[in-house]
Amino acid sequence: MGSLMPKERRWFGSLDGNTTITKEEFDEIIGHSVAITDAATSVFAAELIAAYPDAKVVLNYRRDLDAWHESAVKTLVSVHENWALYILSCLGKVPFWGLHVYERFMWSGLFRALDGNIETGIARNEHCNMIRGLVPKEKLLEWTVEDGWGPLCKFLGKHVPDEPFPHVNKASGWENHEAEVTKRYLMSALSGVAVLSAVGIVTGAIAYQTMW
């Protein structure tokens, strides 16, 4: 039997147990990108580094990892307790992927939390140490937001912008962010609500005719 095609492998895995993600497979998703960042990139860091060995890597770290972990717990864990998001995740594919994949599995994977609870996750320095071991020093920049534009622009060969370095991802604004996400998920789930309503109406009509 032949090997699975790339798209099939992403969903079902390879029959021979090969879990390697090739550059060609990554290119199908991110080939148009100049740079990638955030949680998904962190989770697939080892695979991305292997697929793109010539890429420059910025390791964005926090000097106080315990404080960062505490902040992540206060914000991300609360999402799991949001019943509105949970209900919406049953009605649309965008909220489904956002909640059940991104929040429940990806973050817990990054924190090496086998039970899915990032509060008890053990990964603090492990991820940073892994990146340091995989990337040649000349292609790696260890950088924190307190460093500002200078080191980052020098490493990437870019001019320093004539504006302050942005700081918009604050824990204090998380409730507003969560409300915005809920609203966006609600709009995405409207089609699911419409389908369920139509099914309910049809089912009710059939039941009514059957009974009478």
Side-chain angles (χ1 to χ4, degrees):
M1 182 180 292
S3 61
L4 292 172
M5 295 298 289
K7 290 183 179 180
E8 294 171 321
R9 285 185 56 226
R10 280 201 293 273
W11 291 104
F12 303 111
S14 175
L15 294 177
D16 60 6
N18 179 16
T19 59
T20 302
I21 304 176
T22 66
K23 178 181 182 299
E24 290 71 26
E25 290 171 327
F26 272 126
D27 279 346
E28 292 183 32
I29 303 172
I30 60 174
H32 63 287
S33 303
V34 176
I36 52 176
T37 184
D38 216 334
T41 305
S42 299
V43 172
F44 289 96
E47 291 82 358
L48 286 164
I49 291 168
Y52 301 96
D54 296 327
K56 290 185 176 181
V57 177
V58 178
L59 178 57
N60 177 203
Y61 70 97
R62 289 283 294 270
R63 293 191 174 98
D64 189 341
L65 287 177
D66 289 332
W68 173 74
H69 181 256
E70 181 181 354
S71 174
V73 168
K74 287 181 179 179
T75 53
L76 298 174
V77 171
S78 66
V79 174
H80 299 170
E81 302 169 353
N82 188 321
W83 281 98
L85 289 179
Y86 182 83
I87 293 172
L88 291 175
S89 73
C90 300
L91 301 173
K93 62 181 180 180
V94 173
F96 175 86
W97 283 99
L99 179 64
H100 294 286
V101 177
Y102 191 89
E103 294 289 349
R104 292 184 180 276
F105 295 104
M106 190 168 65
W107 276 111
S108 58
L110 179 60
F111 281 96
R112 312 296 196 273
L114 299 181
D115 60 355
N117 183 5
I118 68 172
E119 290 187 78
T120 58
I122 61 173
R124 302 285 201 285
N125 293 304
E126 288 87 345
H127 180 79
C128 293
N129 290 336
M130 179 188 73
I131 301 300
R132 294 182 182 111
L134 292 174
V135 182
K137 289 185 177 180
E138 65 273 13
K139 294 187 179 297
L140 176 65
L141 172 66
E142 296 194 31
W143 175 87
T144 181
V145 291
E146 288 85 357
D147 295 334
W149 290 117
L152 186 62
C153 292
K154 181 180 179 180
F155 178 69
L156 298 175
K158 302 295 182 180
H159 295 293
V160 177
D162 295 326
E163 58 185 74
F165 194 84
H167 184 198
V168 295
N169 189 22
K170 299 180 180 179
S172 58
W174 178 258
E175 291 183 0
N176 292 334
H177 171 72
E178 191 172 345
E180 291 176 2
V181 170
T182 301
K183 182 178 179 180
R184 187 167 70 248
Y185 284 178
L186 176 60
M187 298 302 295
S188 173
L190 286 178
S191 59
V193 174
V195 171
L196 287 178
S197 299
V199 171
I201 293 173
V202 172
T203 302
I206 294 174
Y208 179 82
Q209 291 181 349
T210 302
M211 293 175 62
W212 299 99

